[in-house]
Amino acid sequence: QPLSQEVTAWCQSIFDRGGAILCGPGGDRFVYDLRRRFDLFCKIVPLRHYAALGNSGRIKPEYAKEVDILIIRENVAGVYQGQWKESFSADGGRTAEHTFSYAESTIRRLLKVAVGIARQRRGEITVVVKDSGVPSVSRLWRDCSTNEAERAGVKCSFMNLDHAAYSLVQHGQELDVIVAPNLAGDVIADVGAVLMGSRALPCSGNFSVAGAAVYQTNHGTGYDLVGKNLANPAAQILSLSMLLRESFGLIEEARLVEDALCEVWRQGWRTFDLMEPGYRQIGTREMGSLVAETLIELAAKSI
């Protein structure tokens, strides 16, 4: 059972006391069930380039250095929260069916968050659709987005999913707030990780209207890395920083966590996914220990 009654009750007790959760990988449908159970409708994924990473990654630093993007993803509807079944046809072959929908109210509440954030940034949003492939859903997203952007005085533009993925890598510096349905937002965020240098770097926060918040890596569960001391813990560390800043307003503490991670990178330490000639490779445990030690040193200096 991906989301047990015990875990559900524990999460509820945290939210009831005004707390937030730093979540590890659950596997299977854990994250989808968690989001639906607590109506964590809004997922925010920051994408930014860290200068401390130097030449690590596949995008030239000069094309990534100005990247500062927020992906705002709808979390509790769409393909991932649809209905599915399998059956056998008359010839004995298997048939798989999957249906999903989007309600106007579901789209609008996400857009209200997006335009509110956009007004504090460049004053524009880019909405991901797929006009010919998913026409009715895309029309609804277009109509709602245009209307909510006009109300907020925010510029609104649209990109089809395939073009958005291309533009994110090719022209990432030109994008700011990207708003996307569930599946599209998942794809775009993973593609955007290339701008940061590794899929193991983007963090995220999942939020409800009532203020419940769950922070987690954006990359999900890496079953192939279990027990190998290879996984990059950076996204988990950055998720903690995001939790401190967004849920508790601990701005200085959040900055110290990020600074500690960046200082370890500046010293030339890398996990396998970020390795380039001239750097020193270490494992998950060693990277975590180095960041913790550096954090203690930085905190002592800031007192």
Side-chain angles (χ1 to χ4, degrees):
Q1 185 178 4
L3 183 64
S4 68
Q5 291 183 353
E6 181 184 9
V7 172
T8 300
W10 182 85
C11 291
Q12 187 64 62
S13 72
I14 297 297
F15 298 145
D16 288 345
R17 289 178 283 165
I21 294 172
L22 180 66
C23 186
D28 198 18
R29 284 193 57 83
F30 172 76
V31 292
Y32 306 114
D33 291 349
L34 183 71
R35 293 163 188 168
R36 184 168 55 187
R37 170 62 181 79
F38 294 104
D39 196 26
L40 302 168
F41 75 98
C42 176
K43 181 174 184 177
I44 298 180
V45 183
L47 300 178
R48 55 170 288 205
H49 179 73
Y50 289 93
L53 283 173
N55 295 321
S56 296
R58 294 295 179 264
I59 303 294
K60 295 178 181 178
E62 59 265 33
Y63 295 109
K65 64 181 180 180
E66 300 299 327
V67 168
D68 181 9
I69 296 169
L70 284 183
I71 296 176
I72 301 180
R73 167 184 163 188
E74 200 289 313
N75 238 3
V76 295
V79 176
Y80 291 166
Q81 300 291 0
Q83 301 293 323
W84 59 89
K85 66 178 182 178
E86 290 188 26
S87 60
F88 288 90
S89 57
D91 63 2
R94 294 166 64 198
T95 299
E97 299 178 49
H98 194 114
T99 60
F100 71 96
S101 62
Y102 263 111
E104 182 174 340
S105 58
T106 299
I107 298 172
R108 286 188 181 276
R109 68 172 179 174
L110 183 79
L111 285 162
K112 291 180 189 299
V113 174
V115 297
I117 291 174
R119 290 180 66 177
Q120 302 174 47
R121 291 170 61 95
R122 297 186 199 172
E124 59 186 44
I125 61 173
T126 302
V127 182
V128 180
V129 293
K130 187 61 179 177
D131 290 309
S132 299
V134 195
S136 60
V137 171
S138 295
R139 279 196 300 271
L140 186 58
W141 273 86
R142 277 184 173 272
D143 293 344
C144 293
S145 300
T146 301
N147 183 249
E148 292 296 337
E150 286 178 353
R151 286 184 183 180
V154 168
K155 180 182 177 183
C156 178
S157 60
F158 298 90
M159 281 190 184
N160 277 286
L161 175 57
D162 43 359
H163 184 208
Y166 169 82
S167 296
L168 192 62
V169 175
Q170 188 74 3
H171 308 291
Q173 296 161 318
E174 299 175 10
L175 297 167
D176 188 42
V177 176
I178 299 175
V179 189
N182 209 337
L183 171 60
D186 192 13
V187 173
I188 288 294
D190 260 12
V191 172
V194 179
L195 293 169
M196 298 183 69
S198 168
R199 192 179 180 217
L201 295 181
C203 60
S204 73
N206 303 266
F207 306 96
S208 77
V209 172
V214 174
Y215 298 86
Q216 58 191 168
T217 67
N218 188 63
H219 56 67
T221 305
Y223 293 108
D224 57 321
L225 300 179
V226 172
K228 297 180 180 179
N229 195 34
L230 286 174
N232 186 344
Q236 194 75 33
I237 294 168
L238 292 171
S239 295
L240 170 61
S241 175
M242 190 177 183
L243 179 152
L244 294 172
R245 181 184 297 109
E246 302 301 331
S247 282
F248 300 124
L250 297 172
I251 308 301
E252 178 62 17
E253 289 82 352
R255 185 187 64 79
L256 282 171
V257 171
E258 289 193 18
D259 287 352
L261 178 60
C262 288
E263 179 57 30
V264 172
W265 283 335
R266 271 190 291 269
Q267 293 171 5
W269 299 104
R270 297 286 188 273
T271 44
F272 84 100
D273 55 306
L274 289 168
M275 270 302 294
E276 296 284 346
Y279 297 115
R280 296 171 287 178
Q281 182 172 337
I282 52 177
T284 312
R285 289 187 292 271
E286 293 80 10
M287 175 61 80
S289 295
L290 280 175
V291 173
E293 292 165 8
T294 305
L295 174 59
I296 292 170
E297 294 172 3
L298 293 178
K301 292 177 182 177
S302 69
I303 295 176

